[in-house]
Structure formats: C-alpha cells, structure tokens
Amino acid sequence: MNVYHLEELKKQLVEGIRMLENIGHIDFNGHSSVRIPKTDLILINSAEVSRSSLTVDNIITIDMTGNLVEGRGMPPNEYPLHTQIYKRRPDVQAICHTHPRWSTLFTIAKMPLRPVIIQGAVLGTIPVFSKSHSISNVEIADELAKKIEDHHIALLKAHGAVITGQSIIETFVRSVFLEENAQRQYMGSQLGYAHSLEDEEIVSMSKFIWQPKNIQKVWDYHLSKLKN
C-alpha cells in the first residue's frame, strides 16, 4: 500500500473515532482499528490520547500480537479484542469497540435487542457476550471472537459493543444504527410493547438501506457536524 493511501486510511480512522466520541458512543475509552490491506498489520488509535482531539499522529501500527511496528504510543489494553477477531474473520476489515448508552442498557436488563425501526433491519442477530470483563488478554478475546463469528455485532454484558465491517465507514454506520434502534426500542417500551419489524420487512428494508450511497450518506452527515 503506498504512503498516500495509508495516510488516507489513517485520516478516515481518525474521523470515525472522533465522530463516535462526538455522538457519545465512546468517551475517554473506546477504540477503532482497520487492517492495512495485504499485510498482517492493523492501524489503531494509541491508548493515551483523548479521542476528541485525535490526529493522524496518534494512529499507530501494530502486528497481530500487539507489538508496536510504527508510530508513538501504546495500543489500548483491549487490543486483543481486535487482533483475535481479525485472525478468525478474514472478511472483517475494520472493528470498533464502543460504550453505547442505550445498547448496553439492554445487556444490564437482560432484554434482547430487536429490529424495531428500519435501520435496525441491517443489524442482524446480536449475541451478548456474557462476561463483563475487559477484553484485554488473548484468552477472553478468543471467546469473544468465537461469539461474534457469524455476526456483525456483539454486545458485551454491562460493558459495551463490538462492531465489525468491511470498512471503517461500515463499522461507524452500524454503530449509529445500533444505538438508534436501541433507543427507539427502549422509548417504545415505555408506551407498551415495542413491536419488532415483520420478517419480510427486515429482508426488504435491509436490502434497501444497506447500499453504498445510503451508508455514505450517514457518514457524510456526521462528518459535516464534526467539522462544524
């Protein structure tokens, strides 16, 4: 990968992390990563830098065992969350670990998240990882990687969420849809039962919404708010 494209990848990773912080999906913790194409290396934000003021200089390169390859700083303690999923899932190109308010609430209440709005149709089945621990060693990260193996998203009990995608943009948009759906499900339940979409609605809406132009539109909207 040439230097120009690598810098563009770093820039997009920074934008994604800062937007996640801007909309409250992460705070002083939380991290995102992306594979460097055709390598066994990943880009990830350094642990010590505030997510709200992140720059490309705070993006580091590590290998699949967490060793620093390039950049200044150390990877987040939970870097195994990323590396172990990448090892098991060659289809995954980007990962974010968030601490979303509404989605996490459902793991505390032990209530399943269901697709109640059309954006929720693209999320698929969302498993819950039952251990409320930091995913900071290989053993527990392997357990999580097995849990999320056939899914785009997993919720971590009383902790947060792990979102995967084929790009940084996809992981960001899935994070947005996850929280929108969770908030609407919670609010709907205050009025009575929050009804799920019908199976045929899930199929049709998923195909309709999860198109490149619609995914890009969500990213561009949040990026414009970040720049303002």
Side-chain angles (χ1 to χ4, degrees), residues 16 19-20 23 25-26 32-33 85-86 89 91-104 113-115 117-127 148-155 160-183 205-207 209-212 214-220 222:
M19 287 192 293
L20 287 171
I23 59 179
H25 292 196
I26 61 174
S32 294
S33 68
I85 292 175
Y86 285 129
R89 293 280 302 276
D91 60 306
V92 169
Q93 302 303 312
I95 300 169
C96 63
H97 170 40
T98 61
H99 298 136
R101 176 184 303 171
W102 298 102
S103 306
T104 305
L113 268 176
R114 296 175 284 103
I117 59 173
I118 59 174
Q119 288 82 1
V122 309
L123 302 176
T125 305
I126 302 173
I148 202 173
E149 192 165 32
D150 298 321
H151 308 276
H152 299 304
I153 299 169
L155 293 177
V162 179
I163 299 118
T164 66
Q166 294 184 0
S167 68
I168 296 165
I169 294 176
E170 279 195 6
T171 60
F172 175 79
V173 174
R174 282 197 175 108
S175 183
V176 170
F177 288 173
L178 175 67
E179 271 297 83
E180 286 183 352
N181 188 84
Q183 184 179 14
M205 285 298 97
S206 180
K207 291 179 180 178
I209 291 173
W210 203 248
Q211 299 182 51
N214 296 330
I215 297 169
Q216 188 68 46
K217 184 177 181 180
V218 177
W219 172 275
D220 290 344
H222 286 279

Side-chain angles (χ1 to χ4, degrees), residues 15-31:
E15 290 171 343
I17 293 169
R18 290 189 62 193
M19 287 192 293
L20 287 171
E21 191 279 333
N22 192 50
I23 59 179
H25 292 196
I26 61 174
D27 42 36
F28 49 88
N29 287 316
H31 28 87

Side-chain angles (χ1 to χ4, degrees), residues 12-210:
Q12 191 176 76
L13 185 60
V14 167
E15 290 171 343
I17 293 169
R18 290 189 62 193
M19 287 192 293
L20 287 171
E21 191 279 333
N22 192 50
I23 59 179
H25 292 196
I26 61 174
D27 42 36
F28 49 88
N29 287 316
H31 28 87
S32 294
S33 68
V34 63
R35 290 185 194 263
I36 299 178
K38 300 180 181 179
T39 74
D40 290 326
L41 304 175
I42 65 173
L43 300 174
I44 194 168
N45 55 294
S46 60
E48 65 276 11
V49 179
S50 171
R51 280 57 173 162
S52 63
S53 59
L54 202 69
T55 71
V56 292
D57 292 332
N58 308 128
I59 300 299
I60 61 175
T61 304
I62 63 172
D63 63 20
M64 288 297 174
T65 56
N67 295 313
L68 182 67
V69 174
E70 186 177 25
R72 295 191 301 264
M74 298 298 294
N77 289 334
E78 292 184 302
Y79 76 81
L81 176 155
H82 300 261
T83 57
Q84 299 313 111
I85 292 175
Y86 285 129
K87 289 176 186 177
R88 185 172 285 272
R89 293 280 302 276
D91 60 306
V92 169
Q93 302 303 312
I95 300 169
C96 63
H97 170 40
T98 61
H99 298 136
R101 176 184 303 171
W102 298 102
S103 306
T104 305
L105 187 63
F106 281 80
T107 72
I108 297 169
K110 294 186 177 181
M111 294 181 63
L113 268 176
R114 296 175 284 103
V116 298
I117 59 173
I118 59 174
Q119 288 82 1
V122 309
L123 302 176
T125 305
I126 302 173
V128 177
F129 187 65
S130 60
K131 296 183 178 180
S132 53
H133 298 289
S134 173
I135 314 298
S136 52
N137 63 65
V138 169
E139 290 73 24
I140 196 169
D142 274 338
E143 291 183 49
L144 172 63
K146 291 175 184 176
K147 190 76 173 180
I148 202 173
E149 192 165 32
D150 298 321
H151 308 276
H152 299 304
I153 299 169
L155 293 177
L156 311 180
K157 178 187 172 185
H159 180 170
V162 179
I163 299 118
T164 66
Q166 294 184 0
S167 68
I168 296 165
I169 294 176
E170 279 195 6
T171 60
F172 175 79
V173 174
R174 282 197 175 108
S175 183
V176 170
F177 288 173
L178 175 67
E179 271 297 83
E180 286 183 352
N181 188 84
Q183 184 179 14
R184 302 293 181 86
Q185 185 176 338
Y186 173 82
M187 298 303 289
S189 70
Q190 304 309 296
L191 299 174
Y193 181 74
H195 291 269
S196 303
L197 297 177
E198 301 295 338
D199 289 346
E200 59 271 20
E201 292 175 320
I202 294 171
V203 172
S204 62
M205 285 298 97
S206 180
K207 291 179 180 178
F208 175 75
I209 291 173
W210 203 248

